[in-house]
């Protein structure tokens, strides 16, 4: 069974940092794009960052570029999202996703994305 499982969320003070993990299993994702999305309460899900497993090329939402870093540990089959200088508006559920093709950046979460994780909650206090 193919699975994406997020971890690393929690309650953090504004200005702090978190590293979210997305553990993959069930298949190889070497020809996939991996992505992070987030959804705040009462808001639609939005694109955060993406990475090509094959090339390592990264893509970011314009408003978030500089505080967010996406990366892959091939040995652990795990995708990471490093978040620095956390702000209260970063609060929400963060989801990992995978697809063989993306049609543009920002990557729309309403598209036919192949795989989703269940999400991990990030709460930033001020």
């Amino acid at each position: 069974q193919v699975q994406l499982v997020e971890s690393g969320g929690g309650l953090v003070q504004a200005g702090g940092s978190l590293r979210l993990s997305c553990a993959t299993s069930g298949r190889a994702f070497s020809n996939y794009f991996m992505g992070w999305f987030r959804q705040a309460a009462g808001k639609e899900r939005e694109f955060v960052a993406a990475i090509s497993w094959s090339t390592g090329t990264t893509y970011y939402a314009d408003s978030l570029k500089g505080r967010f870093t996406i990366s892959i540990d091939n040995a652990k089959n795990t995708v990471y999202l490093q978040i620095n200088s956390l702000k209260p508006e970063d609060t929400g559920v963060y989801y990992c996703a995978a697809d063989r093709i993306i049609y543009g950046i920002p990557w729309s979460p309403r598209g036919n994305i192949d795989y989703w994780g269940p999400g991990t909650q990030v709460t930033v206090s001020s």
Side-chain angles (χ1 to χ4, degrees), residues 2-81:
V2 175
Q3 285 189 299
L4 305 177
V5 181
E6 303 94 338
S7 62
L11 177 62
V12 184
Q13 211 170 38
S17 299
L18 280 175
R19 190 181 72 165
L20 308 183
S21 299
C22 173
T24 73
S25 61
R27 67 160 299 145
F29 289 92
S30 57
N31 62 340
Y32 277 71
F33 291 91
M34 309 300 297
W36 285 96
F37 298 79
R38 69 183 186 182
Q39 188 166 18
K43 301 283 189 176
E44 293 189 343
R45 195 169 299 184
E46 66 174 344
F47 169 73
V48 174
I51 185 168
S52 168
W53 203 302
S54 61
T55 68
T57 303
T58 57
Y59 312 87
Y60 297 93
D62 288 341
S63 62
L64 305 179
K65 193 172 185 178
R67 297 193 298 114
F68 290 72
T69 304
I70 188 170
S71 62
I72 293 174
D73 186 330
N74 290 283
K76 296 182 178 180
N77 297 312
T78 298
V79 184
Y80 300 100
L81 182 69

Side-chain angles (χ1 to χ4, degrees), residues 9-18 67 83-92 94 121-126:
L11 177 62
V12 184
Q13 211 170 38
S17 299
L18 280 175
R67 297 193 298 114
I83 316 174
N84 297 325
S85 302
L86 280 157
K87 304 175 180 180
E89 53 262 43
D90 294 323
T91 294
Y94 284 69
Q121 176 72 41
V122 171
T123 303
V124 183
S125 62
S126 59

